[in-house]
Coordinates of all heavy atoms in Angstrom, one line a residue:
M1 N -6.0 23.7 2.2 CA -6.6 23.1 1.0 C -5.7 22.3 0.2 O -6.1 21.3 -0.4 CB -7.2 24.3 0.2 CG -8.1 23.9 -0.9 SD -9.5 23.0 -0.2 CE -10.7 23.4 -1.4
T2 N -4.4 22.7 0.0 CA -3.5 21.9 -0.8 C -3.2 20.6 -0.1 O -2.9 19.6 -0.8 CB -2.2 22.7 -1.0 OG1 -1.6 23.1 0.2 CG2 -2.5 24.0 -1.8
A3 N -3.2 20.6 1.2 CA -2.9 19.3 1.9 C -4.0 18.3 1.6 O -3.7 17.1 1.4 CB -2.8 19.6 3.4
L4 N -5.3 18.7 1.5 CA -6.4 17.8 1.2 C -6.2 17.3 -0.2 O -6.4 16.2 -0.5 CB -7.7 18.6 1.3 CG -8.9 17.8 0.9 CD1 -9.1 16.6 1.9 CD2 -10.2 18.7 1.0
F5 N -5.8 18.2 -1.2 CA -5.5 17.8 -2.5 C -4.4 16.8 -2.6 O -4.6 15.7 -3.3 CB -5.1 19.0 -3.4 CG -4.7 18.7 -4.8 CD1 -5.6 18.3 -5.7 CD2 -3.4 18.7 -5.1 CE1 -5.3 18.0 -7.0 CE2 -3.0 18.4 -6.4 CZ -3.9 18.0 -7.4
Y6 N -3.3 17.0 -2.0 CA -2.2 16.0 -2.0 C -2.6 14.7 -1.3 O -2.2 13.6 -1.8 CB -1.0 16.6 -1.4 CG -0.3 17.6 -2.2 CD1 -0.1 18.9 -1.7 CD2 0.0 17.4 -3.6 CE1 0.5 19.9 -2.5 CE2 0.6 18.3 -4.4 CZ 0.8 19.6 -3.8 OH 1.4 20.5 -4.6
G7 N -3.4 14.8 -0.3 CA -3.9 13.6 0.3 C -4.8 12.7 -0.6 O -4.7 11.5 -0.7
M8 N -5.6 13.4 -1.3 CA -6.5 12.7 -2.3 C -5.7 12.1 -3.5 O -6.0 11.0 -3.9 CB -7.6 13.7 -2.9 CG -8.5 14.2 -1.9 SD -9.6 12.9 -1.3 CE -10.7 12.7 -2.7
V9 N -4.7 12.9 -3.9 CA -3.8 12.4 -5.0 C -3.1 11.1 -4.5 O -3.1 10.1 -5.3 CB -2.8 13.4 -5.4 CG1 -1.7 12.8 -6.3 CG2 -3.4 14.6 -6.1
F10 N -2.5 11.1 -3.3 CA -1.8 9.9 -2.9 C -2.8 8.7 -2.5 O -2.4 7.6 -2.6 CB -0.9 10.2 -1.7 CG 0.4 10.8 -2.2 CD1 0.6 12.2 -2.0 CD2 1.3 10.1 -2.9 CE1 1.8 12.8 -2.5 CE2 2.5 10.6 -3.4 CZ 2.7 12.0 -3.2
M11 N -4.0 9.0 -2.1 CA -5.0 8.0 -1.9 C -5.3 7.3 -3.2 O -5.4 6.1 -3.3 CB -6.3 8.5 -1.2 CG -7.3 7.4 -0.9 SD -8.7 8.0 -0.1 CE -9.4 9.2 -1.2
N12 N -5.5 8.1 -4.3 CA -5.8 7.5 -5.6 C -4.6 6.8 -6.1 O -4.8 5.7 -6.7 CB -6.2 8.6 -6.6 CG -7.6 9.1 -6.3 OD1 -8.5 8.4 -6.0 ND2 -7.8 10.4 -6.5
L13 N -3.4 7.3 -5.9 CA -2.2 6.5 -6.3 C -2.1 5.2 -5.6 O -1.8 4.2 -6.2 CB -1.0 7.4 -6.0 CG 0.4 6.8 -6.3 CD1 0.5 6.6 -7.9 CD2 1.5 7.6 -5.8
L14 N -2.5 5.2 -4.3 CA -2.5 3.9 -3.6 C -3.4 2.9 -4.1 O -3.1 1.8 -4.3 CB -2.8 4.2 -2.1 CG -2.8 3.1 -1.1 CD1 -1.4 2.5 -0.9 CD2 -3.4 3.5 0.2
F15 N -4.6 3.4 -4.5 CA -5.6 2.5 -5.0 C -5.3 2.0 -6.4 O -5.4 0.8 -6.7 CB -7.0 3.1 -5.1 CG -7.6 3.4 -3.7 CD1 -8.5 4.4 -3.5 CD2 -7.3 2.5 -2.6 CE1 -9.1 4.6 -2.2 CE2 -7.9 2.7 -1.4 CZ -8.8 3.8 -1.2
V16 N -4.7 2.8 -7.2 CA -4.3 2.4 -8.6 C -3.2 1.4 -8.6 O -3.2 0.4 -9.2 CB -4.0 3.7 -9.4 CG1 -3.3 3.3 -10.7 CG2 -5.2 4.5 -9.7
T17 N -2.1 1.7 -7.8 CA -1.0 0.8 -7.8 C -1.4 -0.5 -7.1 O -0.9 -1.6 -7.6 CB 0.2 1.5 -7.0 OG1 -0.2 1.8 -5.7 CG2 0.7 2.7 -7.7
S18 N -2.2 -0.5 -6.1 CA -2.7 -1.7 -5.5 C -3.5 -2.6 -6.5 O -3.3 -3.8 -6.6 CB -3.5 -1.5 -4.3 OG -2.8 -0.8 -3.3
T19 N -4.3 -1.9 -7.3 CA -5.1 -2.6 -8.3 C -4.2 -3.2 -9.4 O -4.4 -4.4 -9.7 CB -6.2 -1.7 -8.9 OG1 -7.0 -1.2 -7.9 CG2 -7.0 -2.4 -9.9
V20 N -3.3 -2.5 -9.8 CA -2.3 -3.0 -10.8 C -1.5 -4.2 -10.3 O -1.3 -5.2 -11.0 CB -1.4 -1.9 -11.4 CG1 -0.3 -2.4 -12.2 CG2 -2.2 -0.8 -12.1
C21 N -1.1 -4.1 -9.1 CA -0.3 -5.1 -8.5 C -1.1 -6.4 -8.3 O -0.6 -7.5 -8.4 CB 0.3 -4.7 -7.1 SG 1.5 -5.7 -6.4
L22 N -2.4 -6.3 -8.0 CA -3.3 -7.4 -7.9 C -3.6 -8.1 -9.2 O -3.6 -9.3 -9.4 CB -4.6 -7.1 -7.2 CG -4.5 -6.9 -5.7 CD1 -5.8 -6.3 -5.2 CD2 -4.2 -8.2 -5.0
V23 N -3.8 -7.2 -10.2 CA -4.2 -7.7 -11.6 C -3.0 -8.3 -12.3 O -3.1 -9.4 -12.9 CB -4.9 -6.6 -12.4 CG1 -5.1 -7.0 -13.8 CG2 -6.2 -6.2 -11.7
K24 N -1.9 -7.6 -12.3 CA -0.7 -8.0 -13.0 C 0.5 -7.9 -12.1 O 1.2 -6.9 -12.2 CB -0.6 -7.2 -14.3 CG 0.5 -7.7 -15.2 CD 0.4 -7.0 -16.5 CE 1.6 -7.5 -17.4 NZ 1.1 -8.2 -18.5
P25 N 0.7 -8.9 -11.2 CA 1.8 -8.7 -10.3 C 3.2 -8.8 -10.9 O 3.4 -9.6 -11.8 CB 1.6 -9.9 -9.3 CG 0.6 -10.8 -9.9 CD 0.0 -10.1 -11.0
S26 N 4.0 -7.8 -10.6 CA 5.4 -7.8 -11.0 C 6.2 -7.1 -10.0 O 5.7 -6.5 -9.0 CB 5.5 -7.0 -12.4 OG 5.2 -5.7 -12.2
R27 N 7.5 -7.2 -10.1 CA 8.4 -6.6 -9.1 C 8.2 -5.0 -9.1 O 8.2 -4.4 -8.1 CB 9.8 -6.9 -9.3 CG 10.1 -8.4 -9.1 CD 10.4 -8.7 -7.7 NE 10.4 -10.1 -7.4 CZ 11.5 -10.8 -7.1 NH1 12.7 -10.2 -7.1 NH2 11.4 -12.1 -6.8
I28 N 8.0 -4.5 -10.3 CA 7.9 -3.0 -10.4 C 6.5 -2.6 -9.8 O 6.5 -1.6 -9.1 CB 7.9 -2.6 -11.9 CG1 9.4 -2.8 -12.4 CG2 7.5 -1.2 -12.1 CD1 9.6 -2.6 -13.9
S29 N 5.5 -3.3 -10.1 CA 4.2 -2.9 -9.5 C 4.2 -3.1 -8.0 O 3.6 -2.3 -7.2 CB 3.0 -3.7 -10.1 OG 3.1 -5.1 -9.8
A30 N 4.9 -4.1 -7.5 CA 5.1 -4.3 -6.0 C 5.9 -3.1 -5.4 O 5.5 -2.6 -4.3 CB 5.8 -5.6 -5.7
I31 N 6.9 -2.7 -6.1 CA 7.7 -1.5 -5.6 C 6.8 -0.2 -5.6 O 6.8 0.5 -4.6 CB 9.0 -1.4 -6.4 CG1 9.9 -2.5 -6.1 CG2 9.6 0.0 -6.1 CD1 11.1 -2.6 -7.0
A32 N 6.1 -0.1 -6.7 CA 5.2 1.1 -6.8 C 4.1 1.1 -5.7 O 3.8 2.2 -5.1 CB 4.6 1.2 -8.2
T33 N 3.6 0.0 -5.4 CA 2.6 -0.1 -4.4 C 3.2 0.1 -3.0 O 2.6 0.8 -2.2 CB 1.9 -1.5 -4.4 OG1 1.4 -1.7 -5.7 CG2 0.8 -1.7 -3.4
A34 N 4.3 -0.4 -2.7 CA 5.0 -0.2 -1.4 C 5.3 1.3 -1.3 O 5.2 1.9 -0.2 CB 6.2 -1.0 -1.3
F35 N 5.8 2.0 -2.4 CA 6.1 3.4 -2.3 C 4.8 4.2 -2.1 O 4.8 5.1 -1.3 CB 6.7 3.8 -3.6 CG 7.0 5.3 -3.7 CD1 8.0 5.9 -3.0 CD2 6.1 6.1 -4.5 CE1 8.2 7.3 -3.1 CE2 6.3 7.4 -4.6 CZ 7.3 8.1 -3.9
A36 N 3.7 3.9 -2.8 CA 2.5 4.6 -2.6 C 2.0 4.4 -1.1 O 1.4 5.3 -0.5 CB 1.4 4.1 -3.6
A37 N 2.1 3.2 -0.6 CA 1.7 2.9 0.8 C 2.5 3.8 1.8 O 2.0 4.3 2.8 CB 1.8 1.5 1.1
L38 N 3.8 3.9 1.6 CA 4.6 4.7 2.4 C 4.3 6.2 2.3 O 4.1 6.9 3.3 CB 6.1 4.5 2.1 CG 7.1 5.3 2.9 CD1 7.1 4.9 4.3 CD2 8.5 5.2 2.3
M39 N 4.1 6.6 1.1 CA 3.7 8.0 0.9 C 2.3 8.3 1.6 O 2.1 9.4 2.1 CB 3.7 8.4 -0.6 CG 5.0 8.4 -1.2 SD 6.3 9.4 -0.4 CE 5.6 11.0 -0.6
W40 N 1.4 7.4 1.5 CA 0.1 7.5 2.1 C 0.2 7.6 3.6 O -0.5 8.4 4.2 CB -0.8 6.4 1.7 CG -2.1 6.4 2.4 CD1 -2.6 5.5 3.3 CD2 -3.2 7.4 2.3 NE1 -3.8 5.9 3.7 CE2 -4.2 7.0 3.1 CE3 -3.3 8.6 1.5 CZ2 -5.4 7.8 3.2 CZ3 -4.5 9.3 1.6 CH2 -5.5 8.9 2.5
L41 N 1.1 6.8 4.2 CA 1.3 6.9 5.7 C 1.8 8.3 6.0 O 1.4 8.8 7.1 CB 2.3 5.9 6.1 CG 1.7 4.5 6.5 CD1 2.9 3.6 6.9 CD2 0.7 4.6 7.6
L42 N 2.7 8.9 5.2 CA 3.2 10.2 5.5 C 2.3 11.4 5.2 O 2.4 12.4 5.9 CB 4.6 10.4 4.8 CG 5.7 9.3 5.1 CD1 6.8 9.5 4.2 CD2 6.1 9.4 6.5
L43 N 1.4 11.2 4.2 CA 0.7 12.4 3.8 C -0.8 12.2 3.9 O -1.6 12.9 3.2 CB 1.0 12.7 2.3 CG 2.5 13.0 2.0 CD1 2.7 13.0 0.5 CD2 2.9 14.3 2.7
N44 N -1.3 11.4 4.8 CA -2.8 11.2 4.9 C -3.4 12.0 5.9 O -4.6 11.8 6.3 CB -3.1 9.7 5.1 CG -2.6 9.2 6.5 OD1 -2.0 10.0 7.3 ND2 -2.8 8.0 6.8
G45 N -2.7 13.0 6.4 CA -3.2 13.9 7.5 C -4.6 14.3 7.4 O -5.4 14.1 8.4
P46 N -5.0 15.0 6.3 CA -6.4 15.6 6.3 C -7.5 14.5 6.1 O -8.6 14.8 6.3 CB -6.4 16.5 5.1 CG -5.0 16.4 4.5 CD -4.2 15.5 5.3
L47 N -7.1 13.3 5.8 CA -8.1 12.2 5.6 C -8.0 11.1 6.6 O -8.4 10.0 6.2 CB -7.9 11.7 4.1 CG -8.0 12.7 3.0 CD1 -7.5 12.1 1.7 CD2 -9.3 13.3 2.9
E48 N -7.5 11.3 7.7 CA -7.2 10.2 8.6 C -8.3 9.5 9.2 O -8.3 8.3 9.3 CB -6.3 10.7 9.8 CG -4.8 10.9 9.3 CD -3.9 11.1 10.5 OE1 -4.3 11.6 11.5 OE2 -2.7 10.7 10.3
G49 N -9.4 10.1 9.7 CA -10.5 9.4 10.2 C -10.3 9.2 11.7 O -9.5 9.8 12.4
Q50 N -11.1 8.2 12.2 CA -11.1 8.0 13.7 C -9.8 7.3 14.1 O -9.1 6.6 13.4 CB -12.2 7.0 14.0 CG -13.6 7.6 14.0 CD -14.6 6.7 14.5 OE1 -14.6 5.5 14.1 NE2 -15.5 7.2 15.3
V51 N -9.4 7.6 15.4 CA -8.2 7.0 16.0 C -8.6 5.6 16.6 O -9.6 5.6 17.4 CB -7.6 7.9 17.1 CG1 -6.4 7.2 17.7 CG2 -7.2 9.2 16.5
L52 N -8.0 4.6 16.1 CA -8.3 3.2 16.6 C -7.5 2.9 17.8 O -8.0 2.1 18.7 CB -8.1 2.2 15.5 CG -8.9 2.4 14.2 CD1 -8.5 1.4 13.1 CD2 -10.4 2.3 14.5
W53 N -6.3 3.3 17.8 CA -5.3 3.0 18.9 C -4.4 4.2 19.1 O -3.7 4.6 18.2 CB -4.6 1.7 18.6 CG -3.7 1.2 19.6 CD1 -4.0 0.9 20.9 CD2 -2.3 0.9 19.5 NE1 -2.9 0.4 21.6 CE2 -1.9 0.4 20.7 CE3 -1.4 1.1 18.5 CZ2 -0.5 0.1 21.0 CZ3 -0.1 0.7 18.7 CH2 0.3 0.2 20.0
S54 N -4.4 4.7 20.3 CA -3.5 5.9 20.6 C -2.2 5.4 21.2 O -2.1 4.7 22.2 CB -4.2 6.7 21.7 OG -5.4 7.3 21.1
L55 N -1.1 5.9 20.5 CA 0.2 5.8 21.1 C 0.5 6.8 22.1 O 1.0 6.6 23.2 CB 1.2 5.8 19.9 CG 1.1 4.7 18.9 CD1 2.1 4.9 17.7 CD2 1.5 3.3 19.5
T56 N 0.3 8.1 21.7 CA 0.4 9.3 22.5 C -0.8 10.1 22.3 O -1.6 9.8 21.4 CB 1.7 10.1 22.1 OG1 1.6 10.6 20.8 CG2 3.0 9.2 22.2
P57 N -1.0 11.2 23.0 CA -2.2 12.0 22.8 C -2.2 12.6 21.4 O -3.3 12.9 20.8 CB -2.1 13.1 23.8 CG -1.4 12.5 24.9 CD -0.4 11.5 24.3
E58 N -1.0 12.8 20.7 CA -1.0 13.4 19.4 C -0.9 12.3 18.3 O -1.1 12.6 17.1 CB 0.2 14.3 19.3 CG 0.2 15.5 20.1 CD 0.7 15.2 21.5 OE1 1.5 14.3 21.7 OE2 0.2 15.9 22.5
N59 N -0.4 11.1 18.6 CA -0.2 10.1 17.5 C -0.9 8.8 17.8 O -1.1 8.4 19.0 CB 1.3 9.8 17.5 CG 2.1 10.9 17.0 OD1 1.7 11.7 16.1 ND2 3.3 11.2 17.6
G60 N -1.3 8.1 16.8 CA -1.9 6.8 17.0 C -2.2 6.2 15.6 O -1.9 6.7 14.6
L61 N -2.9 5.0 15.7 CA -3.3 4.3 14.5 C -4.7 4.7 14.1 O -5.6 4.7 14.9 CB -3.3 2.8 14.8 CG -3.7 1.9 13.6 CD1 -2.7 1.9 12.5 CD2 -3.9 0.5 14.2
T62 N -4.8 5.2 12.9 CA -6.1 5.7 12.4 C -6.7 4.8 11.4 O -6.0 3.8 10.9 CB -6.0 7.1 11.8 OG1 -5.1 7.1 10.7 CG2 -5.5 8.1 12.8
V63 N -7.9 5.0 11.0 CA -8.6 4.2 10.0 C -7.9 4.2 8.7 O -7.7 3.2 8.0 CB -10.1 4.7 9.8 CG1 -10.7 3.9 8.7 CG2 -10.8 4.5 11.1
S64 N -7.4 5.4 8.2 CA -6.8 5.4 6.9 C -5.4 4.8 6.9 O -4.9 4.4 5.9 CB -6.7 6.9 6.5 OG -5.8 7.6 7.3
D65 N -4.8 4.6 8.1 CA -3.5 3.9 8.2 C -3.6 2.5 7.8 O -2.7 1.8 7.3 CB -2.9 4.0 9.6 CG -2.5 5.4 9.9 OD1 -2.2 6.2 9.0 OD2 -2.4 5.7 11.2
L66 N -4.8 1.9 8.0 CA -5.1 0.5 7.6 C -5.0 0.3 6.1 O -4.6 -0.8 5.6 CB -6.5 0.1 8.1 CG -6.7 0.1 9.6 CD1 -8.1 -0.3 9.9 CD2 -5.6 -0.7 10.3
F67 N -5.3 1.4 5.3 CA -5.1 1.2 3.8 C -3.6 0.9 3.5 O -3.3 0.1 2.6 CB -5.4 2.5 3.1 CG -6.9 2.8 3.1 CD1 -7.4 4.1 3.3 CD2 -7.9 1.8 3.0 CE1 -8.7 4.5 3.2 CE2 -9.2 2.1 3.0 CZ -9.6 3.4 3.1
S68 N -2.7 1.5 4.2 CA -1.3 1.3 4.0 C -0.9 -0.2 4.3 O -0.1 -0.8 3.6 CB -0.4 2.2 4.8 OG -0.5 3.5 4.2
F69 N -1.4 -0.7 5.4 CA -1.1 -2.0 5.8 C -1.6 -3.0 4.8 O -0.9 -4.0 4.5 CB -1.6 -2.3 7.2 CG -1.0 -1.5 8.3 CD1 -1.8 -0.8 9.2 CD2 0.4 -1.3 8.4 CE1 -1.2 0.0 10.1 CE2 1.0 -0.5 9.3 CZ 0.2 0.1 10.2
V70 N -2.8 -2.8 4.3 CA -3.4 -3.6 3.2 C -2.5 -3.5 2.0 O -2.2 -4.5 1.3 CB -4.8 -3.3 3.0 CG1 -5.3 -4.0 1.7 CG2 -5.7 -3.6 4.2
A71 N -2.1 -2.3 1.6 CA -1.3 -2.1 0.4 C 0.1 -2.8 0.5 O 0.6 -3.3 -0.4 CB -1.1 -0.6 0.1
F72 N 0.7 -2.7 1.7 CA 2.0 -3.4 1.9 C 1.8 -4.9 1.8 O 2.7 -5.6 1.2 CB 2.6 -3.1 3.3 CG 3.3 -1.8 3.4 CD1 2.9 -0.8 4.3 CD2 4.3 -1.5 2.5 CE1 3.6 0.4 4.4 CE2 5.0 -0.3 2.6 CZ 4.6 0.7 3.5
S73 N 0.7 -5.5 2.2 CA 0.5 -6.9 2.0 C 0.2 -7.2 0.6 O 0.7 -8.3 0.1 CB -0.7 -7.4 2.9 OG -1.9 -6.8 2.5
I74 N -0.4 -6.4 -0.2 CA -0.6 -6.6 -1.6 C 0.7 -6.5 -2.3 O 1.0 -7.3 -3.2 CB -1.6 -5.5 -2.2 CG1 -3.0 -5.8 -1.7 CG2 -1.6 -5.5 -3.7 CD1 -4.0 -4.7 -2.0
A75 N 1.6 -5.6 -1.9 CA 2.9 -5.5 -2.5 C 3.7 -6.7 -2.2 O 4.5 -7.2 -3.1 CB 3.6 -4.2 -2.0
A76 N 3.7 -7.2 -1.0 CA 4.4 -8.4 -0.6 C 3.9 -9.6 -1.4 O 4.7 -10.4 -1.9 CB 4.3 -8.7 0.9
R77 N 2.6 -9.7 -1.6 CA 2.1 -10.8 -2.4 C 2.5 -10.7 -3.9 O 2.9 -11.6 -4.5 CB 0.6 -10.8 -2.4 CG -0.1 -11.9 -3.3 CD -1.5 -11.5 -3.5 NE -2.1 -12.4 -4.5 CZ -2.1 -12.2 -5.8 NH1 -1.5 -11.1 -6.3 NH2 -2.6 -13.1 -6.7
G78 N 2.5 -9.4 -4.4 CA 2.9 -9.2 -5.8 C 4.4 -9.5 -6.0 O 4.8 -10.1 -7.0
W79 N 5.2 -9.2 -5.0 CA 6.7 -9.5 -5.1 C 6.9 -11.0 -5.1 O 7.7 -11.5 -5.8 CB 7.4 -8.8 -3.9 CG 8.8 -9.0 -3.9 CD1 9.6 -10.0 -3.4 CD2 9.8 -8.0 -4.5 NE1 10.9 -9.7 -3.6 CE2 11.1 -8.6 -4.3 CE3 9.6 -6.8 -5.2 CZ2 12.2 -7.9 -4.7 CZ3 10.8 -6.2 -5.6 CH2 12.0 -6.7 -5.4
F80 N 6.2 -11.7 -4.2 CA 6.3 -13.2 -4.1 C 5.8 -13.9 -5.3 O 6.5 -14.7 -5.9 CB 5.5 -13.7 -2.9 CG 5.5 -15.1 -2.7 CD1 6.6 -15.8 -2.2 CD2 4.4 -15.9 -2.9 CE1 6.7 -17.1 -2.0 CE2 4.4 -17.2 -2.8 CZ 5.5 -17.9 -2.3
V81 N 4.7 -13.5 -5.9 CA 4.1 -14.1 -7.1 C 5.1 -13.8 -8.3 O 5.3 -14.7 -9.1 CB 2.7 -13.6 -7.4 CG1 2.2 -14.0 -8.8 CG2 1.8 -14.1 -6.3
A82 N 5.6 -12.6 -8.4 CA 6.4 -12.3 -9.5 C 7.8 -13.0 -9.4 O 8.3 -13.5 -10.4 CB 6.7 -10.8 -9.6
G83 N 8.3 -13.2 -8.2 CA 9.5 -14.0 -8.0 C 9.3 -15.4 -8.4 O 10.2 -16.1 -9.0
N84 N 8.2 -16.0 -8.0 CA 7.9 -17.4 -8.3 C 7.7 -17.6 -9.8 O 8.0 -18.6 -10.3 CB 6.7 -17.9 -7.5 CG 7.1 -18.2 -6.1 OD1 8.3 -18.4 -5.7 ND2 6.2 -18.1 -5.2
R85 N 7.0 -16.7 -10.4 CA 6.8 -16.8 -11.8 C 8.1 -16.7 -12.6 O 8.3 -17.4 -13.6 CB 5.9 -15.6 -12.3 CG 5.4 -15.9 -13.7 CD 4.4 -14.8 -14.1 NE 3.3 -14.7 -13.2 CZ 2.6 -13.6 -12.9 NH1 3.0 -12.5 -13.4 NH2 1.6 -13.6 -12.1
R86 N 9.0 -15.9 -12.1 CA 10.3 -15.8 -12.8 C 11.1 -17.1 -12.7 O 11.8 -17.5 -13.6 CB 11.1 -14.7 -12.2 CG 12.5 -14.5 -12.8 CD 13.2 -13.3 -12.2 NE 12.6 -12.1 -12.6 CZ 12.8 -10.9 -12.0 NH1 13.6 -10.8 -11.0 NH2 12.2 -9.8 -12.4
R87 N 11.0 -17.8 -11.6 CA 11.6 -19.1 -11.4 C 10.9 -20.2 -12.1 O 11.4 -21.3 -12.1 CB 11.8 -19.4 -9.9 CG 12.9 -18.5 -9.3 CD 13.1 -19.0 -7.9 NE 11.9 -18.8 -7.0 CZ 11.9 -17.8 -6.1 NH1 12.9 -17.0 -5.9 NH2 10.8 -17.6 -5.4
G88 N 9.7 -20.0 -12.6 CA 9.0 -21.0 -13.3 C 8.0 -21.8 -12.5 O 7.2 -22.6 -13.1
N89 N 7.9 -21.6 -11.2 CA 6.9 -22.2 -10.5 C 5.8 -21.2 -10.0 O 6.2 -20.2 -9.4 CB 7.4 -23.0 -9.3 CG 8.3 -22.2 -8.4 OD1 8.7 -21.1 -8.7 ND2 8.7 -22.8 -7.3
R90 N 4.6 -21.5 -10.2 CA 3.5 -20.6 -9.8 C 3.1 -20.8 -8.4 O 2.8 -21.8 -8.0 CB 2.4 -20.8 -10.8 CG 1.3 -19.7 -10.6 CD 0.3 -19.8 -11.8 NE -0.8 -19.0 -11.6 CZ -1.0 -17.8 -12.1 NH1 0.0 -17.3 -12.9 NH2 -2.0 -17.1 -11.9
F91 N 3.1 -19.7 -7.6 CA 2.7 -19.6 -6.2 C 3.5 -20.6 -5.4 O 3.0 -21.1 -4.4 CB 1.2 -19.9 -6.1 CG 0.3 -19.0 -6.8 CD1 -0.4 -19.4 -7.9 CD2 0.2 -17.7 -6.4 CE1 -1.2 -18.5 -8.6 CE2 -0.6 -16.8 -7.1 CZ -1.3 -17.2 -8.2
G92 N 4.7 -20.8 -5.7 CA 5.6 -21.6 -4.8 C 5.4 -23.1 -4.9 O 6.1 -23.8 -4.2
R93 N 4.6 -23.6 -5.8 CA 4.4 -25.0 -6.0 C 5.4 -25.6 -6.9 O 5.8 -25.0 -7.8 CB 3.0 -25.3 -6.5 CG 1.9 -24.8 -5.6 CD 0.6 -25.2 -6.2 NE -0.5 -24.5 -5.4 CZ -1.5 -23.9 -5.9 NH1 -1.8 -24.0 -7.2 NH2 -2.4 -23.3 -5.1
R94 N 5.7 -26.8 -6.7 CA 6.7 -27.5 -7.5 C 6.1 -28.6 -8.3 O 5.2 -29.2 -8.0 CB 7.9 -28.0 -6.7 CG 8.6 -26.9 -6.1 CD 9.8 -27.4 -5.3 NE 10.4 -26.3 -4.6 CZ 11.6 -25.9 -4.8 NH1 12.4 -26.6 -5.5 NH2 12.0 -24.9 -4.1

């Protein structure tokens, strides 16, 4: 029961940090999103869902793992946008 609780907590943390990183990108929000995505990969056991691709009979890519990949891309975008904003050019344009 506690594993389900911690899984829900980290899923909510992943959604909140991803939303903040999309709305107000900064280096701190990108780091928080990447951290939440990593924690979600490690602690999503009770909420995994269907296996999409099997590596071994015990391990594979599940539906909930896709949340982490999306969150990592949101963190990368936030890091890139925040870095360009700091240099004075928005979205890499000169």
Side-chain angles (χ1 to χ4, degrees):
M1 189 64 152
T2 59
L4 179 63
F5 173 74
Y6 289 124
M8 295 293 285
V9 167
F10 281 106
M11 182 175 60
N12 287 323
L13 178 67
L14 181 69
F15 290 151
V16 168
T17 57
S18 297
T19 303
V20 169
C21 192
L22 284 171
V23 171
K24 190 172 176 110
S26 68
R27 296 274 168 110
I28 293 174
S29 66
I31 291 169
T33 303
F35 174 75
L38 179 65
M39 294 305 293
W40 174 247
L41 271 178
L42 298 175
L43 300 172
N44 67 359
L47 303 170
E48 282 193 332
Q50 288 184 316
V51 176
L52 301 175
W53 185 56
S54 294
L55 296 171
T56 66
E58 295 85 27
N59 295 320
L61 177 70
T62 61
V63 173
S64 67
D65 293 337
L66 298 178
F67 290 143
S68 286
F69 298 128
V70 171
F72 279 125
S73 65
I74 290 171
R77 178 198 171 272
W79 186 272
F80 178 73
V81 169
N84 284 335
R85 191 176 303 145
R86 181 178 290 166
R87 285 188 292 255
N89 54 350
R90 187 169 171 97
F91 301 112
R93 297 182 192 142
R94 293 183 189 237

